[in-house]
Amino acid sequence: MRVNYRQLIGCLLVFCGPTRAEELDINKDPVSIPAGPFTFSPIFEMAESYNDNLFNRNIFKKASFLTQFHAGGQLALERQLNRYALTYTLQSSQYHQSPQDDYIDHFVGGSSHLEFTSRNRLDVNFGYLDSHYQRGVFLGRDLLFPTQRAEPDQYHLHNAAATYRYGRSGAKGNLELRFNVQDYTFQNNREFTARQDRTLLAVTPGFYFRFSPKTTLHTQVENEFLKYRQTEASAYDYTKQRFLIGGTWLYSAKTRVSGQFGYLRQEFDNPIYKGVNGPTWDLSVGWSPLSYSRFNLGASSDVTGTLGNSNVRISDRYRLSWVHDWTPRVTTQVFGALENANNQGIKRKDNFTALGVDLSYGFRRWLGIGITYTYRSLESDNNALNFDQNKLMIYLTGNPRISDEAKTPWGSWY
Protein backbone atom coordinates (compact mmCIF):
# COMPACT_ATOMS: atom_id res chain seq x y z
CA MET A 1 0.00 0.00 0.00
CA ARG A 2 1.48 3.31 -1.02
CA VAL A 3 1.80 5.77 1.78
CA ASN A 4 2.75 9.42 1.58
CA TYR A 5 2.67 12.05 4.35
CA ARG A 6 2.52 9.24 6.96
CA GLN A 7 4.81 10.92 9.35
CA LEU A 8 5.32 10.69 13.11
CA ILE A 9 8.58 10.28 14.98
CA GLY A 10 8.38 7.96 17.92
CA CYS A 11 5.95 5.35 19.17
CA LEU A 12 6.00 2.34 21.48
CA LEU A 13 9.02 0.25 20.50
CA VAL A 14 7.40 -3.13 21.16
CA PHE A 15 8.97 -5.76 18.91
CA CYS A 16 6.32 -8.30 18.17
CA GLY A 17 5.39 -9.63 14.77
CA PRO A 18 4.38 -12.55 12.60
CA THR A 19 5.92 -15.96 12.96
CA ARG A 20 8.42 -17.13 10.38
CA ALA A 21 5.94 -19.64 8.96
CA GLU A 22 3.51 -16.87 8.04
CA GLU A 23 3.86 -14.95 4.79
CA LEU A 24 3.13 -11.22 4.88
CA ASP A 25 0.27 -10.19 2.60
CA ILE A 26 2.38 -7.30 1.33
CA ASN A 27 4.91 -9.78 -0.07
CA LYS A 28 2.33 -11.66 -2.12
CA ASP A 29 1.74 -10.92 -5.80
CA PRO A 30 -1.02 -8.44 -6.69
CA VAL A 31 -4.39 -9.72 -7.84
CA SER A 32 -4.58 -9.94 -11.62
CA ILE A 33 -7.04 -11.26 -14.19
CA PRO A 34 -5.79 -13.19 -17.26
CA ALA A 35 -6.82 -11.57 -20.56
CA GLY A 36 -5.32 -13.65 -23.36
CA PRO A 37 -1.54 -13.02 -23.35
CA PHE A 38 -2.06 -10.05 -20.99
CA THR A 39 -2.89 -9.69 -17.32
CA PHE A 40 -5.22 -6.98 -16.02
CA SER A 41 -4.90 -5.61 -12.50
CA PRO A 42 -7.69 -3.34 -11.25
CA ILE A 43 -6.96 -0.29 -9.09
CA PHE A 44 -9.45 1.16 -6.62
CA GLU A 45 -8.86 3.26 -3.52
CA MET A 46 -11.15 5.60 -1.60
CA ALA A 47 -10.74 7.81 1.43
CA GLU A 48 -12.68 10.17 3.67
CA SER A 49 -10.69 12.79 5.56
CA TYR A 50 -10.91 15.99 7.56
CA ASN A 51 -8.42 18.80 6.90
CA ASP A 52 -8.40 21.77 9.31
CA ASN A 53 -6.28 24.06 7.10
CA LEU A 54 -7.10 23.40 3.47
CA PHE A 55 -4.93 26.11 1.90
CA ASN A 56 -1.84 25.73 4.10
CA ARG A 57 -2.03 29.28 5.43
CA ASN A 58 -3.12 30.36 8.88
CA ILE A 59 -4.34 33.76 7.69
CA PHE A 60 -6.75 32.06 5.24
CA LYS A 61 -7.58 29.10 7.43
CA LYS A 62 -10.48 26.99 6.24
CA ALA A 63 -11.52 23.46 7.23
CA SER A 64 -13.24 20.87 5.08
CA PHE A 65 -14.21 17.23 4.85
CA LEU A 66 -12.79 15.61 1.74
CA THR A 67 -13.91 12.56 -0.24
CA GLN A 68 -11.38 11.05 -2.67
CA PHE A 69 -11.05 7.95 -4.79
CA HIS A 70 -8.73 6.41 -7.35
CA ALA A 71 -10.00 4.08 -10.05
CA GLY A 72 -8.35 2.46 -13.03
CA GLY A 73 -6.20 -0.48 -13.93
CA GLN A 74 -2.97 -1.79 -15.38
CA LEU A 75 -2.63 -4.04 -18.44
CA ALA A 76 0.67 -5.92 -18.52
CA LEU A 77 2.47 -8.31 -20.86
CA GLU A 78 5.54 -10.39 -20.00
CA ARG A 79 7.82 -12.02 -22.55
CA GLN A 80 10.77 -13.88 -21.03
CA LEU A 81 12.79 -11.19 -19.23
CA ASN A 82 10.89 -8.28 -20.81
CA ARG A 83 7.80 -6.61 -19.38
CA TYR A 84 5.39 -4.02 -20.81
CA ALA A 85 2.59 -2.23 -18.93
CA LEU A 86 -0.07 0.36 -19.67
CA THR A 87 -1.82 2.15 -16.80
CA TYR A 88 -4.85 4.43 -16.55
CA THR A 89 -6.13 5.99 -13.34
CA LEU A 90 -8.34 8.86 -12.34
CA GLN A 91 -8.41 10.71 -9.05
CA SER A 92 -11.59 12.39 -7.85
CA SER A 93 -11.48 14.96 -5.03
CA GLN A 94 -14.61 16.50 -3.51
CA TYR A 95 -14.25 19.19 -0.83
CA HIS A 96 -17.53 19.38 1.07
CA GLN A 97 -16.92 22.89 2.47
CA SER A 98 -15.03 24.21 -0.60
CA PRO A 99 -16.70 22.89 -3.79
CA GLN A 100 -14.76 25.29 -6.04
CA ASP A 101 -11.72 23.09 -5.33
CA ASP A 102 -13.40 19.88 -6.57
CA TYR A 103 -11.49 18.26 -9.40
CA ILE A 104 -11.00 15.02 -11.35
CA ASP A 105 -7.43 14.25 -12.44
CA HIS A 106 -6.53 11.78 -15.20
CA PHE A 107 -3.31 9.87 -15.82
CA VAL A 108 -2.25 7.60 -18.69
CA GLY A 109 1.18 6.02 -18.55
CA GLY A 110 3.28 3.21 -19.89
CA SER A 111 6.41 1.40 -18.82
CA SER A 112 8.70 -1.28 -20.20
CA HIS A 113 11.69 -3.29 -19.07
CA LEU A 114 13.85 -4.65 -21.88
CA GLU A 115 16.87 -6.93 -21.66
CA PHE A 116 18.43 -7.09 -25.13
CA THR A 117 21.37 -9.14 -23.86
CA SER A 118 22.81 -9.91 -20.45
CA ARG A 119 24.87 -6.71 -20.81
CA ASN A 120 22.22 -4.37 -22.23
CA ARG A 121 19.14 -3.38 -20.22
CA LEU A 122 16.69 -0.56 -20.82
CA ASP A 123 13.79 0.79 -18.73
CA VAL A 124 11.41 3.27 -20.35
CA ASN A 125 8.51 5.20 -18.74
CA PHE A 126 6.17 7.76 -20.25
CA GLY A 127 3.00 9.47 -19.08
CA TYR A 128 0.37 12.14 -19.60
CA LEU A 129 -1.24 13.86 -16.62
CA ASP A 130 -4.27 16.16 -16.63
CA SER A 131 -4.20 17.60 -13.12
CA HIS A 132 -4.22 20.69 -10.91
CA TYR A 133 -2.46 22.33 -7.98
CA GLN A 134 -4.44 22.75 -4.79
CA ARG A 135 -4.74 26.42 -3.92
CA GLY A 136 -2.16 27.61 -1.43
CA VAL A 137 0.42 24.89 -2.06
CA PHE A 138 3.79 26.25 -0.98
CA LEU A 139 7.18 24.52 -0.83
CA GLY A 140 6.20 21.48 -2.85
CA ARG A 141 5.45 23.66 -5.85
CA ASP A 142 8.57 25.83 -5.63
CA LEU A 143 6.64 29.08 -5.83
CA LEU A 144 7.93 32.29 -4.31
CA PHE A 145 4.51 32.88 -2.72
CA PRO A 146 1.39 30.72 -2.33
CA THR A 147 -1.58 31.24 -4.63
CA GLN A 148 -5.00 32.39 -3.41
CA ARG A 149 -6.91 32.54 -6.69
CA ALA A 150 -10.60 31.76 -7.10
CA GLU A 151 -9.95 28.29 -8.53
CA PRO A 152 -7.02 25.84 -8.62
CA ASP A 153 -4.38 26.15 -11.35
CA GLN A 154 -4.92 23.37 -13.91
CA TYR A 155 -2.11 21.94 -16.04
CA HIS A 156 -1.09 19.21 -18.46
CA LEU A 157 2.17 17.35 -17.88
CA HIS A 158 3.92 15.20 -20.49
CA ASN A 159 6.74 13.07 -19.10
CA ALA A 160 9.24 10.59 -20.57
CA ALA A 161 12.11 8.84 -18.84
CA ALA A 162 14.63 6.16 -19.77
CA THR A 163 17.47 4.36 -18.00
CA TYR A 164 20.05 2.38 -19.98
CA ARG A 165 22.47 0.07 -18.19
CA TYR A 166 25.51 -1.60 -19.83
CA GLY A 167 27.24 -4.47 -18.08
CA ARG A 168 26.20 -7.75 -16.54
CA SER A 169 24.32 -7.45 -13.28
CA GLY A 170 27.11 -9.29 -11.46
CA ALA A 171 30.01 -7.64 -13.28
CA LYS A 172 32.65 -5.50 -11.60
CA GLY A 173 31.68 -2.40 -13.58
CA ASN A 174 28.43 -1.03 -15.03
CA LEU A 175 27.74 2.08 -17.10
CA GLU A 176 24.41 3.88 -16.77
CA LEU A 177 22.67 6.72 -18.57
CA ARG A 178 19.45 8.29 -17.24
CA PHE A 179 17.23 10.62 -19.25
CA ASN A 180 14.10 12.48 -18.18
CA VAL A 181 11.99 15.24 -19.75
CA GLN A 182 8.94 16.97 -18.24
CA ASP A 183 6.80 19.50 -20.08
CA TYR A 184 4.24 21.60 -18.15
CA THR A 185 1.46 23.60 -19.83
CA PHE A 186 -1.09 25.43 -17.66
CA GLN A 187 -4.72 25.65 -18.78
CA ASN A 188 -6.33 28.46 -16.77
CA ASN A 189 -5.51 31.59 -14.75
CA ARG A 190 -3.17 32.43 -17.61
CA GLU A 191 -2.42 35.94 -16.38
CA PHE A 192 -0.58 34.23 -13.51
CA THR A 193 0.39 30.80 -14.85
CA ALA A 194 1.64 31.58 -18.38
CA ARG A 195 5.09 32.33 -16.99
CA GLN A 196 5.19 28.84 -15.42
CA ASP A 197 4.90 26.95 -18.74
CA ARG A 198 8.23 25.17 -18.94
CA THR A 199 10.28 22.19 -20.05
CA LEU A 200 12.71 20.42 -17.74
CA LEU A 201 15.40 18.13 -19.19
CA ALA A 202 17.67 15.97 -17.02
CA VAL A 203 20.56 13.78 -18.20
CA THR A 204 22.68 11.76 -15.76
CA PRO A 205 25.58 9.55 -16.84
CA GLY A 206 27.08 7.29 -14.19
CA PHE A 207 29.63 4.56 -13.56
CA TYR A 208 29.23 1.80 -10.94
CA PHE A 209 32.09 -0.35 -9.67
CA ARG A 210 31.69 -3.35 -7.37
CA PHE A 211 34.63 -2.91 -5.02
CA SER A 212 33.76 -5.99 -2.93
CA PRO A 213 30.77 -8.33 -2.56
CA LYS A 214 29.23 -5.89 -0.06
CA THR A 215 30.48 -2.54 -1.40
CA THR A 216 29.66 -0.74 -4.65
CA LEU A 217 31.19 2.62 -5.57
CA HIS A 218 29.76 5.03 -8.13
CA THR A 219 30.23 8.41 -9.73
CA GLN A 220 27.52 10.50 -11.41
CA VAL A 221 27.07 13.86 -13.09
CA GLU A 222 23.49 15.14 -12.84
CA ASN A 223 22.70 17.70 -15.54
CA GLU A 224 19.43 19.65 -15.39
CA PHE A 225 18.18 22.24 -17.87
CA LEU A 226 15.06 24.34 -17.24
CA LYS A 227 13.57 26.47 -20.04
CA TYR A 228 10.46 28.68 -19.86
CA ARG A 229 8.31 29.21 -22.92
CA GLN A 230 7.14 32.76 -22.13
CA THR A 231 9.59 35.38 -23.37
CA GLU A 232 9.29 37.47 -20.20
CA ALA A 233 10.22 34.47 -18.06
CA SER A 234 13.04 33.16 -20.26
CA ALA A 235 15.54 35.31 -18.35
CA TYR A 236 15.14 32.79 -15.51
CA ASP A 237 16.12 29.73 -17.59
CA TYR A 238 18.86 27.90 -15.72
CA THR A 239 21.22 24.93 -15.75
CA LYS A 240 22.21 22.86 -12.74
CA GLN A 241 24.93 20.26 -12.36
CA ARG A 242 25.77 17.97 -9.46
CA PHE A 243 29.17 16.22 -9.58
CA LEU A 244 28.81 13.24 -7.24
CA ILE A 245 30.83 10.34 -5.92
CA GLY A 246 29.52 7.77 -3.46
CA GLY A 247 28.66 4.18 -2.84
CA THR A 248 26.47 1.55 -1.20
CA TRP A 249 27.64 -0.61 1.68
CA LEU A 250 25.82 -3.73 2.85
CA TYR A 251 27.10 -3.98 6.39
CA SER A 252 24.91 -7.03 6.98
CA ALA A 253 21.64 -8.54 5.87
CA LYS A 254 19.99 -6.11 8.31
CA THR A 255 21.86 -2.88 7.51
CA ARG A 256 22.34 -0.98 4.24
CA VAL A 257 24.06 2.41 3.90
CA SER A 258 24.09 4.56 0.73
CA GLY A 259 25.58 7.98 0.26
CA GLN A 260 26.94 10.37 -2.31
CA PHE A 261 28.73 13.67 -1.91
CA GLY A 262 29.95 16.28 -4.33
CA TYR A 263 29.82 19.78 -5.73
CA LEU A 264 26.82 21.65 -7.10
CA ARG A 265 26.71 24.46 -9.66
CA GLN A 266 23.49 26.28 -10.62
CA GLU A 267 23.55 29.21 -13.07
CA PHE A 268 20.87 31.37 -14.70
CA ASP A 269 21.09 32.05 -18.42
CA ASN A 270 20.96 35.76 -17.65
CA PRO A 271 24.24 36.57 -15.85
CA ILE A 272 22.70 39.44 -13.85
CA TYR A 273 21.02 36.84 -11.62
CA LYS A 274 23.11 35.09 -9.01
CA GLY A 275 23.29 31.30 -9.03
CA VAL A 276 24.65 28.88 -6.42
CA ASN A 277 27.92 27.00 -6.03
CA GLY A 278 28.66 24.71 -3.11
CA PRO A 279 28.60 21.23 -1.56
CA THR A 280 25.72 18.81 -2.07
CA TRP A 281 24.97 15.34 -0.72
CA ASP A 282 22.45 12.51 -0.30
CA LEU A 283 22.45 9.89 2.45
CA SER A 284 20.18 6.94 3.27
CA VAL A 285 20.38 4.23 5.92
CA GLY A 286 18.14 1.18 6.17
CA TRP A 287 18.11 -1.02 9.24
CA SER A 288 15.94 -4.10 9.82
CA PRO A 289 16.56 -5.52 13.29
CA LEU A 290 13.79 -8.03 12.52
CA SER A 291 12.38 -9.25 9.22
CA TYR A 292 9.09 -7.52 10.04
CA SER A 293 10.48 -4.23 11.43
CA ARG A 294 12.28 -1.68 9.25
CA PHE A 295 13.84 1.72 9.99
CA ASN A 296 14.86 4.17 7.27
CA LEU A 297 16.79 7.43 7.56
CA GLY A 298 17.35 9.85 4.70
CA ALA A 299 19.08 13.22 4.41
CA SER A 300 20.00 15.47 1.49
CA SER A 301 21.21 18.94 0.58
CA ASP A 302 20.24 20.43 -2.78
CA VAL A 303 19.01 23.61 -4.48
CA THR A 304 15.86 24.41 -6.46
CA GLY A 305 15.01 27.49 -8.48
CA THR A 306 11.60 28.91 -7.58
CA LEU A 307 9.34 29.21 -10.61
CA GLY A 308 9.45 32.29 -12.83
CA ASN A 309 11.92 34.39 -10.80
CA SER A 310 15.58 34.58 -9.82
CA ASN A 311 15.21 33.24 -6.28
CA VAL A 312 17.06 30.01 -5.45
CA ARG A 313 15.98 27.78 -2.55
CA ILE A 314 18.82 25.97 -0.75
CA SER A 315 17.30 23.10 1.23
CA ASP A 316 18.50 20.56 3.78
CA ARG A 317 15.99 17.72 4.11
CA TYR A 318 15.76 14.94 6.71
CA ARG A 319 13.41 11.95 6.84
CA LEU A 320 12.93 9.16 9.36
CA SER A 321 10.43 6.28 9.20
CA TRP A 322 9.61 3.03 10.96
CA VAL A 323 7.47 0.29 9.43
CA HIS A 324 6.41 -2.64 11.61
CA ASP A 325 4.34 -5.66 10.57
CA TRP A 326 2.63 -6.76 13.77
CA THR A 327 0.92 -9.65 11.97
CA PRO A 328 0.62 -10.62 8.27
CA ARG A 329 -2.42 -8.32 8.15
CA VAL A 330 -1.61 -5.46 10.54
CA THR A 331 1.07 -2.86 9.73
CA THR A 332 1.97 0.46 11.30
CA GLN A 333 4.06 3.23 9.78
CA VAL A 334 5.43 6.29 11.55
CA PHE A 335 7.35 9.04 9.81
CA GLY A 336 8.94 12.42 10.39
CA ALA A 337 10.31 14.95 7.91
CA LEU A 338 12.12 18.27 8.26
CA GLU A 339 13.15 20.79 5.64
CA ASN A 340 15.28 23.83 6.37
CA ALA A 341 15.11 26.13 3.34
CA ASN A 342 17.15 29.27 2.74
CA ASN A 343 15.78 31.48 -0.05
CA GLN A 344 18.90 33.17 -1.37
CA GLY A 345 17.34 35.81 -3.63
CA ILE A 346 14.85 37.21 -1.11
CA LYS A 347 16.85 36.51 2.08
CA ARG A 348 14.12 34.46 3.75
CA LYS A 349 14.28 31.25 5.75
CA ASP A 350 11.50 28.63 5.89
CA ASN A 351 11.35 25.62 8.23
CA PHE A 352 8.91 22.86 7.31
CA THR A 353 7.89 19.95 9.58
CA ALA A 354 5.71 16.91 8.88
CA LEU A 355 4.76 14.16 11.33
CA GLY A 356 2.35 11.28 10.93
CA VAL A 357 1.24 7.80 11.86
CA ASP A 358 -0.66 5.16 9.88
CA LEU A 359 -2.36 1.91 10.86
CA SER A 360 -3.50 -0.48 8.12
CA TYR A 361 -5.29 -3.82 8.19
CA GLY A 362 -5.54 -6.24 5.28
CA PHE A 363 -8.82 -8.14 5.21
CA ARG A 364 -7.65 -10.02 2.12
CA ARG A 365 -4.76 -9.83 -0.30
CA TRP A 366 -7.00 -7.63 -2.48
CA LEU A 367 -8.65 -5.48 0.21
CA GLY A 368 -7.30 -3.31 3.01
CA ILE A 369 -8.45 -0.55 5.36
CA GLY A 370 -6.51 1.99 7.34
CA ILE A 371 -6.46 5.22 9.31
CA THR A 372 -3.86 7.99 9.06
CA TYR A 373 -3.12 11.14 11.05
CA THR A 374 -0.70 13.79 9.75
CA TYR A 375 0.54 17.10 11.09
CA ARG A 376 2.31 19.64 8.87
CA SER A 377 3.63 23.09 9.70
CA LEU A 378 5.69 25.90 8.21
CA GLU A 379 7.57 28.56 10.17
CA SER A 380 8.89 31.36 7.96
CA ASP A 381 10.64 34.68 8.41
CA ASN A 382 7.52 36.01 6.65
CA ASN A 383 4.83 35.30 9.26
CA ALA A 384 2.07 35.66 6.66
CA LEU A 385 3.19 32.33 5.17
CA ASN A 386 3.07 30.33 8.40
CA PHE A 387 0.65 27.46 8.75
CA ASP A 388 -0.26 24.51 10.96
CA GLN A 389 -2.35 21.71 9.52
CA ASN A 390 -3.96 18.58 10.99
CA LYS A 391 -5.45 15.88 8.78
CA LEU A 392 -7.25 12.69 9.76
CA MET A 393 -8.10 10.11 7.10
CA ILE A 394 -9.84 6.73 6.88
CA TYR A 395 -9.15 4.86 3.65
CA LEU A 396 -10.08 1.67 1.82
CA THR A 397 -7.80 0.19 -0.82
CA GLY A 398 -8.42 -2.60 -3.31
CA ASN A 399 -5.52 -4.66 -4.65
CA PRO A 400 -2.89 -2.81 -2.59
CA ARG A 401 0.17 -4.31 -4.29
CA ILE A 402 -0.78 -3.11 -7.77
CA SER A 403 -1.51 0.29 -6.27
CA ASP A 404 2.15 0.28 -5.21
CA GLU A 405 3.54 -0.92 -8.53
CA ALA A 406 1.42 1.08 -10.99
CA LYS A 407 3.42 4.28 -11.20
CA THR A 408 0.60 6.77 -10.86
CA PRO A 409 1.73 10.38 -10.44
CA TRP A 410 0.10 10.96 -7.09
CA GLY A 411 2.22 8.39 -5.28
CA SER A 412 -0.51 8.54 -2.72
CA TRP A 413 -2.94 11.20 -1.67
CA TYR A 414 -2.95 9.87 1.88
Side-chain angles (χ1 to χ4, degrees):
M1 183 181 300
R2 299 188 317 270
V3 185
N4 195 5
Y5 306 126
R6 297 176 175 181
Q7 307 129 339
L8 177 67
I9 299 176
C11 95
L12 295 176
L13 296 176
V14 180
F15 290 102
C16 62
T19 65
R20 292 184 179 181
E22 296 175 309
E23 182 181 5
L24 297 172
D25 283 353
I26 197 170
N27 293 330
K28 299 178 182 177
D29 292 334
V31 176
S32 59
I33 303 169
F38 302 92
T39 57
F40 176 74
S41 301
I43 299 171
F44 181 78
E45 299 175 298
M46 63 180 299
E48 187 69 28
S49 61
Y50 176 77
N51 188 329
D52 72 349
N53 194 346
L54 195 60
F55 304 130
N56 298 340
R57 297 195 65 186
N58 288 343
I59 61 175
F60 297 111
K61 195 167 186 178
K62 184 173 185 178
S64 178
F65 284 94
L66 169 62
T67 301
Q68 293 176 290
F69 71 85
H70 287 160
Q74 183 182 87
L75 191 66
L77 174 67
E78 294 189 9
R79 286 290 183 266
Q80 296 179 345
L81 299 177
N82 300 332
R83 188 177 189 273
Y84 314 87
L86 180 66
T87 302
Y88 167 76
T89 57
L90 65 83
Q91 173 181 271
S92 172
S93 303
Q94 295 182 319
Y95 297 85
H96 298 268
Q97 281 72 43
S98 187
Q100 61 269 36
D101 291 290
D102 293 353
Y103 204 80
I104 298 178
D105 301 322
H106 300 271
F107 170 74
V108 179
S111 64
S112 63
H113 173 75
L114 304 170
E115 297 195 17
F116 306 104
T117 68
S118 60
R119 289 188 176 92
N120 294 272
R121 303 179 298 280
L122 177 66
D123 291 283
V124 178
N125 296 276
F126 62 89
Y128 166 76
L129 175 63
D130 175 7
S131 189
H132 73 293
Y133 284 116
Q134 178 64 31
R135 292 188 296 161
V137 171
F138 183 56
L139 287 183
R141 190 177 168 186
D142 293 318
L143 289 172
L144 191 60
F145 297 104
T147 58
Q148 294 297 332
R149 294 186 272 278
E151 62 179 3
D153 295 336
Q154 304 169 19
Y155 66 90
H156 292 168
L157 169 62
H158 296 83
N159 177 76
T163 300
Y164 172 72
R165 194 87 176 233
Y166 177 78
R168 296 179 185 273
S169 57
K172 282 280 188 181
N174 270 223
L175 293 172
E176 183 182 78
L177 180 63
R178 298 179 185 175
F179 169 86
N180 181 269
V181 60
Q182 297 179 343
D183 185 83
Y184 284 85
T185 304
F186 285 80
Q187 305 301 304
N188 66 335
N189 298 326
R190 294 297 291 172
E191 64 273 28
F192 305 103
T193 60
R195 67 190 293 111
Q196 297 177 43
D197 290 351
R198 64 195 184 275
T199 300
L200 177 68
L201 173 66
V203 181
T204 305
F207 174 68
Y208 295 78
F209 179 74
R210 185 165 56 86
F211 181 76
S212 71
K214 293 185 177 182
T215 304
T216 300
L217 304 178
H218 72 261
T219 180
Q220 293 179 324
V221 181
E222 296 180 358
N223 302 278
E224 188 175 287
F225 310 90
L226 181 69
K227 184 172 181 59
Y228 293 97
R229 289 201 289 276
Q230 189 185 62
T231 303
E232 290 80 359
S234 61
Y236 307 115
D237 295 351
Y238 70 79
T239 61
K240 186 179 83 170
Q241 292 178 301
R242 298 176 80 206
F243 304 91
L244 300 164
I245 185 169
T248 299
W249 180 40
L250 299 176
Y251 176 74
S252 67
K254 297 180 178 180
T255 305
R256 177 188 181 97
V257 180
S258 297
Q260 56 183 9
F261 304 85
Y263 181 77
L264 179 147
R265 180 175 62 196
Q266 185 267 343
E267 297 177 343
F268 290 97
D269 285 6
N270 191 327
I272 68 172
Y273 300 123
K274 184 180 179 181
V276 173
N277 294 272
T280 183
W281 45 271
D282 303 299
L283 176 67
S284 65
V285 179
W287 178 53
S288 299
L290 301 168
S291 61
Y292 46 82
S293 192
R294 303 170 293 282
F295 292 87
N296 290 283
L297 170 67
S300 65
S301 180
D302 201 353
V303 304
T304 306
T306 52
L307 298 180
N309 58 73
S310 61
N311 182 58
V312 179
R313 179 175 291 120
I314 305 171
S315 296
D316 294 328
R317 298 182 176 94
Y318 307 92
R319 301 171 303 278
L320 177 66
S321 68
W322 174 43
V323 181
H324 191 85
D325 304 311
W326 302 93
T327 76
R329 298 183 184 274
V330 179
T331 297
T332 57
Q333 299 197 30
V334 294
F335 190 95
L338 299 173
E339 178 176 350
N340 300 320
N342 182 12
N343 295 274
Q344 177 177 278
I346 57 175
K347 309 299 182 183
R348 190 189 77 214
K349 293 184 178 180
D350 305 310
N351 296 314
F352 175 78
T353 303
L355 306 170
V357 60
D358 175 85
L359 170 66
S360 62
Y361 177 80
F363 287 102
R364 296 289 188 271
R365 181 160 57 105
W366 50 269
L367 181 64
I369 191 172
I371 184 169
T372 298
Y373 166 76
T374 60
Y375 169 77
R376 302 168 68 240
S377 74
L378 178 72
E379 293 184 2
S380 173
D381 287 347
N382 182 352
N383 293 332
L385 304 178
N386 291 351
F387 75 82
D388 297 278
Q389 181 193 75
N390 294 276
K391 186 175 181 181
L392 182 65
M393 173 177 286
I394 299 175
Y395 61 88
L396 181 74
T397 179
N399 208 4
R401 284 298 307 282
I402 195 62
S403 298
D404 290 339
E405 296 174 5
K407 303 299 183 184
T408 53
W410 303 287
S412 178
W413 27 261
Y414 46 80

